[in-house]
Amino acid sequence: MTLKLYVDRISPSCREVIIFCKLNGIDFEEVTISLSKHQQLSPEFQEVNPIKQVPAIMDGIFKLSESHAILRYLAFAFPGIADHWYPADLYKRAKVESVLDWQRTTFPRGPASYVFYSVSAPAVGLPLNTKAAARTEKNLIASLATIESVWLQKKGRFLLGNDQPSIADLSLACEIMTLEIVDEKDRERILGPFKRVLKWLDDTKNAMEPHFEEVHSTLSEIKEKLQKQRNAAGSKITQSGRKPDLQSKM
């Protein structure tokens, strides 16, 4: 039976699973679960994942959720997956796990939270929150500093000084790519000071082409849609703020 991926490409966790499958020639059926339409709450999807989150997979009768667990499973369940993705060597694998655990505990929804509070909240009927955006930006910058000073080393193009990417590179890069949705000046302000992070991000993209770019093209579509919504909202505010024309009685 074909592997089924239950995903929404707006989610970095979903994008990493899709890209991994494409990169490694894993045949799959992509089942879109629209988060904006709350399809993750449907009874049908709860049969796949009772936690009501994406991504989730179904491999025959086997069901699994949580993106990092899915990546680990895929790395072992399908033949021909290169060892660099999730090393068999205990010590190398433990290092990859340390990055994955750090990402989940210290970097949770970092870029996604900043994008939500600063750009995309109105798309779900909520106001922008500048205070929350500033707070998440501060945490995000601190995390980027850790990537630059700890996880990226002088040797090797990828995390942990490796010459080839692991699932940790894939997962972290997909999360940081969420910043593509914000204005260029804001992205430059946040990422610009971290030259090694930017170099690593470019190396990761290049190592995973053409699939990395294709899957992340969704972000450009989202950015364009949000811009149109902001323009429409600004137009309404401008029109409502105009004083009515009064005809002279003279």
Side-chain angles (χ1 to χ4, degrees):
M1 296 180 66
T2 301
L3 174 72
K4 289 186 177 183
L5 306 186
Y6 297 85
V7 293
D8 185 335
R9 291 194 180 197
I10 195 174
S11 162
S13 297
C14 292
R15 295 195 299 270
E16 66 192 48
V17 173
I18 296 169
I19 292 170
F20 185 85
C21 288
K22 286 178 174 285
L23 286 170
N24 290 285
I26 299 173
D27 187 32
F28 66 92
E29 176 187 349
E30 184 173 342
V31 181
T32 299
I33 303 297
S34 175
L35 297 177
S36 63
K37 296 178 181 179
H38 306 294
Q39 291 178 350
Q40 75 276 19
L41 305 179
S42 69
E44 293 79 11
F45 181 65
Q46 289 181 51
E47 290 295 320
V48 178
N49 183 13
I51 300 176
K52 310 171 193 175
Q53 295 178 348
V54 290
I57 67 169
M58 183 179 292
D59 187 15
I61 61 172
F62 179 68
K63 304 171 186 176
L64 186 64
S65 60
E66 300 299 327
S67 62
H68 288 171
I70 292 171
L71 291 175
R72 296 183 189 102
Y73 171 77
L74 295 175
F76 280 107
F78 291 85
I81 307 298
D83 185 72
H84 65 83
W85 288 111
Y86 192 53
D89 179 270
L90 175 62
Y91 300 111
K92 292 180 180 180
R93 187 191 306 175
K95 287 290 188 179
V96 171
E97 292 286 2
S98 68
V99 180
L100 294 173
D101 284 353
W102 173 83
Q103 182 185 349
R104 283 291 180 258
T105 56
T106 307
F107 203 59
R109 304 186 187 279
S113 293
Y114 174 75
V115 169
F116 179 78
Y117 291 126
S118 63
V119 177
S120 63
V124 293
L126 295 173
L128 298 179
N129 188 328
T130 55
K131 289 185 178 180
R135 182 177 66 251
T136 55
E137 180 179 339
K138 182 179 179 180
N139 294 336
L140 175 55
I141 288 173
S143 295
L144 291 169
T146 298
I147 297 172
E148 181 122 331
S149 63
V150 177
W151 301 124
L152 289 173
Q153 300 173 9
K154 292 182 179 180
K155 63 176 183 178
R157 294 186 299 155
F158 301 103
L159 299 174
L160 304 168
N162 293 324
D163 293 322
Q164 297 184 81
S166 71
I167 59 174
D169 291 274
L170 171 58
S171 183
L172 199 53
C174 285
E175 190 160 2
I176 293 174
M177 281 294 292
T178 305
L179 292 172
E180 292 291 317
I181 296 175
V182 303
D183 292 337
E184 185 61 31
K185 61 180 178 63
D186 293 325
R187 183 178 181 275
E188 174 61 25
R189 185 186 69 251
I190 294 171
L191 284 176
F194 301 101
K195 305 304 181 185
R196 294 179 66 193
V197 171
L198 288 171
K199 176 64 167 57
W200 159 77
L201 194 57
D202 283 340
D203 287 340
T204 301
K205 291 178 186 178
N206 292 333
M208 300 180 188
E209 293 298 11
H211 306 298
F212 193 94
E213 182 177 359
E214 182 271 317
V215 173
H216 280 95
S217 64
T218 297
L219 300 181
S220 297
E221 298 169 6
I222 295 170
K223 183 176 182 177
E224 182 178 352
K225 182 178 180 180
L226 289 172
Q227 185 60 55
K228 288 180 179 178
Q229 290 175 344
R230 289 198 298 271
N231 291 342
S235 177
K236 289 180 180 178
I237 292 172
T238 301
Q239 291 176 8
S240 64
R242 290 175 181 168
K243 293 182 180 180
D245 293 331
L246 298 177
Q247 294 181 348
S248 173
K249 294 183 179 180
M250 294 185 65

